[in-house]
Amino acid sequence: MDFTISEEVNSAQQLAQQILADFTDVDKLKALEQQEERFDKALWRALGEAGLLGLDIPEEHGGTGLGFYSLTTLCEEAGRTVAPIPVVPVLVSAAGTLRRFGSGAQKEHWLGGIASGTTLVTAALEEYLNDDPGAPSCSAQKMDGGYSLSGTKICVCLAPSAARILVSAKAGDELIVALVDPRAAGVSLNAQVVTTGETRHELVMDKVQVPTADIVATGREAAAAMEWALLATRTALAAMAVGVCDKMMRITGSYTSEREQFGRAIATFQAVSHRVADCYIDVECLRLVTQQAASLIDQGRPAGEAVTMAKIWCGDVTHRVSQASQHCHGGTGVDRDYPLFRYCELARQIELTAGSSARLTGELGGEICAQHLAKAG
Amino acid sequence: MNIELTAQQKALQLEVREYMKTIMTPELLEEMKDPELKEGGGPEFRKQYARMGADGWIGLSWSKELGGKELSHIEQYIFTDEVVRSGFAYPFLTTEAVTPVIAANANPEVREEVVGGVRQGKVTIAIGYSEPNAGTDLASLTTRAERDGDDWIINGQKMWTSLGNFADYVWLAARTDPDVSKKHKGLTMFLVPTGIEGFSLTPVHTLGVRTNATYYSDIRLPDKYRVGEVNGGWKLITGQLNIERLSLFTHGQVDSLYQEVCEWAARTDAPGGGKIIEMPWVQHNLARVKTGLEVVKLICWKQAWSMDQGPLNMADASVAKVYSSEFFVELYRMLLEVMGQAGTIARYSPGAVLQGKIEFRWRVGAVLTFGGGTNEVQRDIIAMAGLWMPRTR
Ligand SMILES: Cc1cc2nc3c(=O)[nH]c(=O)nc-3n(C[C@H](O)[C@H](O)[C@H](O)COP(=O)(O)OP(=O)(O)OC[C@H]3O[C@@H](n4cnc5c(N)ncnc54)[C@H](O)[C@@H]3O)c2cc1C
């Protein structure tokens, strides 16, 4: 048992911290929020130049090959700075899946550009009332030279500017994973404004033709790919939540230490300081379960239960810390001229992405039941 | 980053688990049905405790010089976790918290008597800190020790002196400087043999276990039983309190309750057909318990690992205490809910589920949140040490 974080992973995290801090002052964030597409391209390029977009991409494809754990520390830092960059959909859900399940040619074609920041491949894992990409309602029909895809995916990040969108669909009983070109015939992208205020897209596919070169996996391989993508995405979101919640709690600790009422700092009221202390406890708990999930995935070990528990904690902690932070700030916390609201919005977005606490608790309970019924014979 | 036990650590875990099965003899289980002997002190307890000493299981964390094995904190945690899981009333405070302090600070003669006795599993020590009017504000204690030639004259009352009814000594905190401005700086530690003239006690029966009020009436105690410097007691107390918590909140003891309830729910028929475990609300509770338990495990491991790297971070130690104590209480409730009314049937009554174990654990668990350093003070520490917030008032 060893909780040591390697030198290399630590220095990559510190480098990310520096670059992200440079790019995310309030004025920059405000300006980016006025853009139609909320994406800091300059920051993305800077991260690419520093080798940080390729943390989980092998060296032969232009990455640094530090592995999945290291990538989750970048997600944490992106959360800490509420940076408008697509670390989870592009680097985890799409690139992480391609690197593990894509063909040699696909890796050759896409990973280098993703690592350098010149190409965006995003992912669309969710559908209406369905966050399991292993059981999509989108359908696929085999045809000459590829597949034809139909169906709807929701809340897709950066769909219009992505070169491809990674999706799953069912061809009869068989699962397939494909890269859809958002400019292909039959694709429509409908703007959807989400909690963070950013514009995402509903991706509607009507007999979209995907050539064989863009089919990532089929059958069992596709099922394994989507299982990996789901676990990795949940874990990356939990890591991002660690950054978001840690920062919200620290903002609140500082604010309450300065703000005075009744002639004293409000943090000197136990009722206030203890609420912040509870956030500290929550963040530590979330950090531990997230590190466990990330390190299991990193080592290619079975991670299903660990990830489910991490995402349940993620949903609970984002909600509690966000609410406590708002409460301890009073009116200042909800003011859009004060930074806290961004964190609260992102916290809620993460909470409801890729499986909520309630749903995953139900799922875990079902698994516990199945395991013990099997044991009882 | 690899948060799993190594093969060697797993082997130790299994070894202790198997060994403890031989300690929990049918005779001991029978003896423990007596509420007065549940926490130890009966002849069968003494026999098994001495056997652990003879087999070399006591003081594994101590230095080689004291006859210990200098186990790492991780190994020490694995040992503790398994011993607590077994249900044996192993006197951790004696072996892990107090004895090392005595070894480092006591007069050589007393050190041999006490440390040697503990190593052989023949000596237990009760903790005499709390008083009727000194709880969380421990340094306000008023039990007096006054110098008289080569002796000390001790007068006062202690409250909640657990194990005092069978312990060989009380590890006593007393005031040696009555100057109130020297609150923390006027305390000295003593070992009071419980056979000494002037020592007496009355039982205190609680929601859970039996404990004691202990009385000290003109006890004449030789100076050799003083431990550490005169007026230097506070440092010895606070050092010890941190270690106390490490044996209070271990994972195995609650994990095994969870496992047992899962197994019970999987073999017990539900009224409307199927098994209890198939009901959605039961699954919900079990999943919640599992999700919370996972963090107990990780916090314990992280603490043990951190202590092998260097001193424990103050805020982290408090996080562990608050989280675990509050989750334990929640866990008891969620598991009892699964059993419903049957969960209230007490130990040894017909129809008790899992021998009424969880009902009993709930009783004992009521003290967890304020004992071992109350959670309010722990949260104060987290806010100050973890977030640099100002002291509350
Ligand atoms: C079964 C049992 C066994 C015990 N065994 C031992 C033993 O072997 N040896 C021993 O020395 N002691 C023992 N204790 C005593 C135990 O350590 C004390 O109960 C504990 O220190 C709390 O003190 P108190 O009970 O006087 O409560 P109090 O200190 O009076 O606390 C009451 C309430 O006030 C709150 N409070 C106190 N101070 C603050 C503050 N600054 N801010 C906010 N809230 C505050 C507490 O959190 C608590 O909720 C035992 C107690 C029990 C019940």
Side-chain angles (χ1 to χ4, degrees), chain B residues 53-73:
Chain B
D55 290 345
W57 283 106
I58 296 178
L60 296 174
S61 64
W62 304 354
S63 67
K64 296 228 161 83
E65 190 200 338
L66 291 179
K69 296 214 169 83
E70 297 186 4
L71 284 195
S72 69
H73 285 95

Side-chain angles (χ1 to χ4, degrees), chain A residues 2 4 274 278 292 301 316, chain B residues 2 4 288 294 379-380:
Chain A
D2 188 2
T4 314
H274 288 189
D278 281 336
Q292 170 171 264
R301 312 256 299 122
D316 290 350
Chain B
N2 178 0
E4 287 172 289
R288 278 276 159 197
E294 193 69 10
R379 286 186 166 92
D380 280 352

Side-chain angles (χ1 to χ4, degrees), chain A residues 270 274, chain B residues 93 126-138 158-164 171 204 206-212 241 244 364 366-367 369-377 380 392:
Chain A
Q270 246 183 6
H274 288 189
Chain B
L93 297 187
I127 312 279
Y129 293 157
S130 304
E131 297 181 359
N133 292 314
T136 303
D137 186 11
L138 185 59
K158 292 288 171 183
M159 191 55 188
W160 320 111
T161 320
S162 304
L163 318 188
W171 169 246
V204 176
T206 72
L207 181 63
V209 295
R210 174 222 161 113
T211 176
N212 309 280
L241 277 176
E244 172 174 350
V364 181
V367 308
T369 53
F370 64 82
T374 193
N375 287 3
E376 276 70 30
V377 171
D380 280 352
T392 59

Side-chain angles (χ1 to χ4, degrees), chain A residues 361-362 365-366 368-369, chain B residues 277-288:
Chain A
T361 300
I368 292 169
C369 169
Chain B
I277 202 168
E278 291 176 273
M279 299 198 269
W281 62 268
V282 170
Q283 293 178 8
H284 177 91
N285 269 25
L286 295 176
R288 278 276 159 197

